[in-house]
Amino acid sequence: MDEKYVKQLLEMEGQELKLTEKKVNILVAAIEIFAEKGYSATSTSEIAKRAGVAEGTIFRHYDSKKDLLLGITKPAILKMVVPYFASQMVEEVFKDEITSFDGVLRAFITNRIEFVRKNIPLFKIVLQEIAFHNELQETFQESFLNQILPKISETIYIAQKSGRLKDFSIPTTLRFIMSTVMGFIITRFLIMPEAEWNEKEEIDNMVECIMNGISKNN
Amino acid sequence: MDEKYVKQLLEMEGQELKLTEKKVNILVAAIEIFAEKGYSATSTSEIAKRAGVAEGTIFRHYDSKKDLLLGITKPAILKMVVPYFASQMVEEVFKDEITSFDGVLRAFITNRIEFVRKNIPLFKIVLQEIAFHNELQETFQESFLNQILPKISETIYIAQKSGRLKDFSIPTTLRFIMSTVMGFIITRFLIMPEAEWNEKEEIDNMVECIMNGISKNN
Amino acid sequence: MDEKYVKQLLEMEGQELKLTEKKVNILVAAIEIFAEKGYSATSTSEIAKRAGVAEGTIFRHYDSKKDLLLGITKPAILKMVVPYFASQMVEEVFKDEITSFDGVLRAFITNRIEFVRKNIPLFKIVLQEIAFHNELQETFQESFLNQILPKISETIYIAQKSGRLKDFSIPTTLRFIMSTVMGFIITRFLIMPEAEWNEKEEIDNMVECIMNGISKNN
Amino acid sequence: MDEKYVKQLLEMEGQELKLTEKKVNILVAAIEIFAEKGYSATSTSEIAKRAGVAEGTIFRHYDSKKDLLLGITKPAILKMVVPYFASQMVEEVFKDEITSFDGVLRAFITNRIEFVRKNIPLFKIVLQEIAFHNELQETFQESFLNQILPKISETIYIAQKSGRLKDFSIPTTLRFIMSTVMGFIITRFLIMPEAEWNEKEEIDNMVECIMNGISKNN
DNA sequence: CATGAATGAGAGTTCATTCAT
DNA sequence: TATGAATGAACTCTCATTCAT
C-alpha cells in the first residue's frame, strides 16, 4: 500500500485529500490493524506504533478514533459501491443489448473481484463495521440505495418486461445476483484465501448459475 | 429469552449446563449486548448491569470475558450447523429420490430460517466474531467441515453422477446454494428486518433459482 | 504436617485448640502458602482450595484472613522463643557451672536448629511478617523481651562478673550470639537448604567462634 | 530523598536513568510505601496518590507494578553488594598487610553501615522481597556470588594459609563475619532504630568479637 | 506540523467477606 | 458445622485524548 493507492481510494468527491507522509502511514497502519483485529479491539497507540508516528499525531489528523475509522470506510464504501454502476456503459447495455446480458454480468463480477483483490483489508473492515456504525449504513444508503439501486432496478424492470428475465420481484432478483457474487468474493478472499482458485472457471460458473436461475427458460 | 431457551441452545453434547437464575441473566444480557455492539465494544460492567448481578458474579461463572463469549458461541455454532444435516432423512432423500430434490432443499431452507428467526442475536454474534477468534473457526471446522460437509459432498456427487445436477465442482455447487440461502437470511433478519416479507414466496423463488441454476436443463 | 503436629505447635497456654479435620487442613494449607508467597500475596480462595474446603469455611474458624495469620504466627512465636529458655536447667547451668558454658551454648544451638528444621515454613512466615504486623511484634515483645530476656541478661551479667565473659554490654553480647545462630539457621534452612551441610562441624565452629569472641582470653 | 539521590542510587552500569520530576516522585513514593507495607500490600493507586501523579503515569514509566519493584531493587542490590568489595584497596590490604586485618574489617563495617543508614527503606525492601522474587535472587547471585565472593574467598584462603586465620571453611568464616555485621545493621536500623546507639563502641566490639572468633590464638 | 508525557475514566479481573441454604 | 454463590470494593493495567513544548 503506497501513497497513490491510499490517495485515490480514500479521496471523496469534491474534496481533496491532503496527504503528508505521516498521514499516509497512519492510514495504512489503521487499515491493516482494523482489518486484523476489528475496530474496537484496535488501540490508537498500536496504530501510532505501526505507523511510526507519535500517539498524538493521529489526533492532529483525525478528531477521534471513530473519525479515523470513518475517514477510511466512508470513501471506501463509495468506491466499492458506485464506480462500476455509475458508468454510462452499463445502463446502455442493461437496457438494450439482449445478447450481452451475461457479458455484462461477467464484466461486473470481474470488475468487483478485481476491486476487492486490491482492497482486501478495506473490504473486511467495511463488512465488519457497517453493522455497528450508523454513519456507515447511511453512507451505504445514500450511495447504493439512493443512487445505484434505482438505476439497476429500472434496468431489471425493463429486462423483465422485455421477456428475458423471470418476474421475480426486483429486490429478489438483485439479491440473488448479489448473494452469489458476494458469496464467492467472501469465500475467495476472506475464508479460503490460501486455496488454489481457478477464478476464470468460477466466474463462468457463476454467470451460468445466475443466468439459469433468473432467466426465463423457453 | 427464557431459561429453557438458553439451556437447550447452549448445552453441549455430553455435558449438562448448570443454570442458576443469575447465570441465565448473564447469558441473556451478554447475548443481547454482544449482538448490539460487538464483543470488543461490550464491557463486562454493562453486562452485569443489564443482568442485574454484581460484576464479580460474571467471573464466578466464566473465567474471562472471552470465556463468556465462547460459552455462548461455541454451542451456538454447533446448533446452527449440525442438527438439520445430521438427520438420516436428509441423506436418504438426497441420495435416492430424484423428484424430491427441490423438496429437500425447501425443507432445509425453511428449517434454517426458523432456526435463525429464533436466534437472531446469536446468529449475529457468530457472524461477527468468527472472523476474529480462532476457537470459533475451529469449532466451525470440526463440526461443519469435518462432519457435515463430507455427507453433503457425497450427496451432491451422487446427484451429479445420476445426471440430475451439472458438473460444477462440489464446493462450487454448495457455495452457490449456501450463498443464496445466507444472502436471504442476512437480508431478511439483519439488514431489513423491519420490511414486509412474503417468506413463502421468497422461499419458492430461492428454490426455483437454485434448481434452475445448478440443474441440468434437458 | 499432621494434626498432632499442628495442635501441639499452635496451642497457646491456657486455651485448648479445637481441631476438626477441616480446621487442620486450613491451617496446614495456610502455613504452606503463606510461606511460599507471603501473607499479602496469598488469597483465601487458594488456601480453601488447597485445604479442600469451601471458601466460606475459613471464615467459620477465623474472623478474617489476618486473624488466620495471627492464629498461626502468635503461638508459633511463643513456641520459638520460650521453650528452651524457660527451663530451669538453663538458668542453673548459666549461673553456676563454669566449665559447661560452651556445652550450654551447644545445647541451645542444637535445640533451636531442631526446632526450625521441623518448622521451616512457620519460621519463614514469622521472619517475613513480623515486620508488618504490630500484633506479632507485641507477641515477641511480651514473650522474649519481657520474660526471656531478663533471665538471660541476668545470666550473662553474672558470667561477666565472675570473670568469664568480656564486659561487652549485655545486649551486645547477646546480639553477637543470636546473630551467629540466626545467620546459620537462615543460611542453612532458607538460603541454601539444598547444599550439603555438616551440621555437627558447623555447630562446633559456631560454639568455638562465639566462645572465643565473647570470652576473656587469659 | 531527592532526585540526585535516587539517580545515583538506581542508575545501573551502562545505562543512564532518565528522570523526569514525576518519575522521581513515583520512585520515592514507591520506595517509601513498599518499605512500610511490603510490595504485595502496596497498591499502585496509593503510590500514585503519594507521588502526586495519575495512576496511569506509573505505567508509562514501568510496564507493571513488578517492573517498578525490580527497577528499584535490582540496582539497589548492586549498589549494596558491589561497591566496597570492588575496590582494589581491599584486595591489597586483605592479601598483604597482616597487622591491618582488623582495620580493613572496621572499614568494611563502617562503610556498609553508612550505606544502609542512607538507604534504610531500600534495604528493608530488598531484605523482604528477595525471598519471593527470583529475579532479585539472580541479581544477588550474579553480583555477590559470582563477582564478589570469589575475591573474598581468595583473600580468606590466603589469610588462612599465612597462619593468621583458623581453618574454618571459607563459607563458614565468611558467614560468621556477615552474620555479625548484618545482625548489627538489622538491629540498629530496623528493629531498634529509636534506641540510643554508641556506634563507635559497637563497631569496636564487633571487630574485636570477630577477630577473636576467627583468628588463631597464639 | 509533530511530539510524547500526562491524564483520569474505565477496562477486565481478583479479593475477602457474607449469608441463605 | 459447612457450603459456595454472590457481592462490590479494590486491584492492576489500558485507553483515547489533551496539551505544553
Side-chain angles (χ1 to χ4, degrees), chain A residues 68-154:
Chain A
L68 172 58
L69 175 70
L70 298 183
I72 287 169
T73 45
K74 285 173 81 166
I77 288 176
L78 297 184
K79 292 294 195 311
M80 276 179 203
V81 157
V82 177
Y84 186 79
F85 290 107
S87 74
Q88 278 310 97
M89 178 201 64
V90 179
E91 296 177 44
E92 299 312 315
V93 171
F94 258 97
K95 281 179 192 157
D96 304 330
E97 298 189 30
I98 291 179
T99 51
S100 67
F101 196 100
D102 60 344
V104 170
L105 191 57
R106 171 173 284 101
F108 165 67
I109 293 172
T110 308
N111 177 287
R112 290 301 84 187
I113 287 174
E114 290 317 309
F115 181 86
V116 172
R117 190 196 314 284
K118 285 186 231 124
N119 300 282
I120 296 175
L122 222 36
F123 178 70
K124 199 176 168 194
I125 297 170
V126 169
L127 223 53
Q128 290 288 339
E129 300 304 330
I130 200 167
F132 301 125
H133 304 274
N134 273 324
E135 300 89 332
L136 297 187
Q137 290 160 21
E138 281 160 20
T139 300
F140 182 77
Q141 179 93 20
E142 285 159 20
S143 58
F144 182 73
L145 298 189
N146 297 354
Q147 293 174 42
I148 306 304
L149 189 57
K151 295 183 188 174
I152 303 177
S153 299
E154 194 200 349

Side-chain angles (χ1 to χ4, degrees), chain C:
Chain C
M1 280 195 263
D2 64 355
E3 189 186 320
K4 275 184 205 165
Y5 161 76
V6 170
K7 175 145 183 162
Q8 58 95 21
L9 188 69
L10 300 187
E11 198 159 55
M12 291 180 78
E13 219 169 328
Q15 58 192 93
E16 212 207 343
L17 189 63
K18 271 187 226 162
L19 282 180
T20 62
E21 194 201 337
K22 305 244 174 213
K23 185 159 184 178
V24 173
N25 291 347
I26 290 169
L27 285 166
V28 170
I31 291 169
E32 283 175 12
I33 311 182
F34 284 162
E36 279 167 33
K37 350 185 11 170
Y39 166 75
S40 260
T42 299
S43 75
T44 51
S45 86
E46 194 181 355
I47 296 172
K49 206 174 293 162
R50 183 155 341 167
V53 304
E55 292 186 50
T57 306
I58 292 173
F59 294 91
R60 300 233 131 247
H61 294 283
Y62 296 93
D63 286 347
S64 67
K65 188 185 160 193
K66 173 102 177 227
D67 194 38
L68 172 58
L69 174 71
L70 299 183
I72 288 169
T73 46
K74 285 173 80 166
I77 288 175
L78 297 184
K79 292 295 195 312
M80 277 179 203
V81 157
V82 176
Y84 187 78
F85 289 107
S87 73
Q88 277 310 100
M89 177 202 64
V90 180
E91 296 178 46
E92 298 313 315
V93 171
F94 258 96
K95 282 179 193 160
D96 304 331
E97 299 188 28
I98 292 178
T99 52
S100 65
F101 196 101
D102 60 344
V104 169
L105 190 58
R106 169 173 286 105
F108 165 67
I109 293 172
T110 307
N111 177 288
R112 289 302 85 187
I113 287 173
E114 290 316 310
F115 181 87
V116 172
R117 190 198 313 284
K118 286 188 229 123
N119 299 284
I120 297 175
L122 222 35
F123 178 70
K124 199 176 169 194
I125 297 170
V126 169
L127 222 52
Q128 289 287 341
E129 300 304 330
I130 201 166
F132 300 125
H133 304 275
N134 272 324
E135 300 90 331
L136 297 187
Q137 290 161 21
E138 281 160 20
T139 301
F140 182 76
Q141 180 92 20
E142 285 158 20
S143 57
F144 181 73
L145 299 190
N146 296 353
Q147 293 175 41
I148 306 304
L149 189 57
K151 295 184 188 176
I152 303 177
S153 297
E154 194 200 347
T155 308
I156 293 176
Y157 179 77
I158 293 172
Q160 287 176 339
K161 288 293 154 208
S162 73
R164 279 173 289 161
L165 298 187
K166 289 185 183 173
D167 282 336
F168 295 144
S169 80
I170 291 172
T172 297
T173 304
L174 183 60
R175 202 188 62 234
F176 188 62
I177 298 171
M178 296 303 292
S179 295
T180 304
V181 178
M182 288 292 284
F184 172 73
I185 288 178
I186 290 170
T187 310
R188 168 69 187 91
F189 294 112
L190 303 187
I191 302 179
M192 306 178 67
E194 308 289 331
E196 296 264 324
W197 287 91
N198 183 337
E199 286 191 8
K200 200 181 166 327
E201 192 183 324
E202 295 288 358
I203 294 171
D204 287 343
N205 292 346
M206 274 191 278
V207 172
E208 189 181 336
C209 262
I210 293 170
M211 292 308 296
N212 285 336
I214 63 177
S215 300
K216 272 203 169 118
N217 334 341
N218 310 5

Side-chain angles (χ1 to χ4, degrees), chain A residues 184 196-203:
Chain A
F184 173 73
E196 295 265 322
W197 287 91
N198 183 336
E199 285 191 8
K200 201 182 165 325
E201 191 184 325
E202 295 287 358
I203 293 171

Side-chain angles (χ1 to χ4, degrees), chain B residues 1-12:
Chain B
M1 282 196 261
D2 64 354
E3 188 188 320
K4 277 183 201 165
Y5 161 76
V6 170
K7 176 148 181 158
Q8 58 96 20
L9 188 69
L10 299 188
E11 198 157 59
M12 291 180 80

Side-chain angles (χ1 to χ4, degrees), chain D residues 30-45:
Chain D
I31 291 170
E32 283 174 14
I33 312 183
F34 284 162
E36 279 166 32
K37 347 189 5 175
Y39 166 75
S40 261
T42 299
S43 75
T44 50
S45 90

Side-chain angles (χ1 to χ4, degrees), chain A residues 35-38 40-41 128 131-132 166 168 172 175-176 179-180 183-184 187 197 202 205 208-209 212-214 217, chain B residues 35-38 40-41 128 131-132 166 168 172 175-176 179-180 183-184 187 197 202 205 208-209 212-213 217:
Chain A
E36 279 166 32
K37 349 187 7 173
S40 260
Q128 290 288 339
F132 301 125
K166 290 185 181 173
F168 294 145
T172 297
R175 200 186 63 235
F176 188 63
S179 295
T180 304
F184 173 73
T187 310
W197 287 91
E202 295 287 358
N205 292 346
E208 188 182 335
C209 261
N212 284 336
I214 63 176
N217 328 342
Chain B
E36 280 166 33
K37 345 186 13 171
S40 259
Q128 289 289 339
F132 300 125
K166 290 185 182 174
F168 294 145
T172 297
R175 202 187 61 234
F176 188 63
S179 295
T180 305
F184 172 72
T187 311
W197 287 90
E202 294 288 359
N205 293 346
E208 190 181 335
C209 262
N212 285 337
N217 332 343

Side-chain angles (χ1 to χ4, degrees), chain D residues 190-217:
Chain D
L190 302 186
I191 302 180
M192 305 178 66
E194 309 289 333
E196 294 266 324
W197 288 90
N198 183 337
E199 286 191 7
K200 200 181 165 325
E201 192 184 327
E202 294 287 358
I203 294 171
D204 287 342
N205 291 347
M206 272 191 280
V207 172
E208 188 181 337
C209 263
I210 293 171
M211 292 308 295
N212 284 339
I214 63 177
S215 301
K216 275 208 168 112
N217 329 342

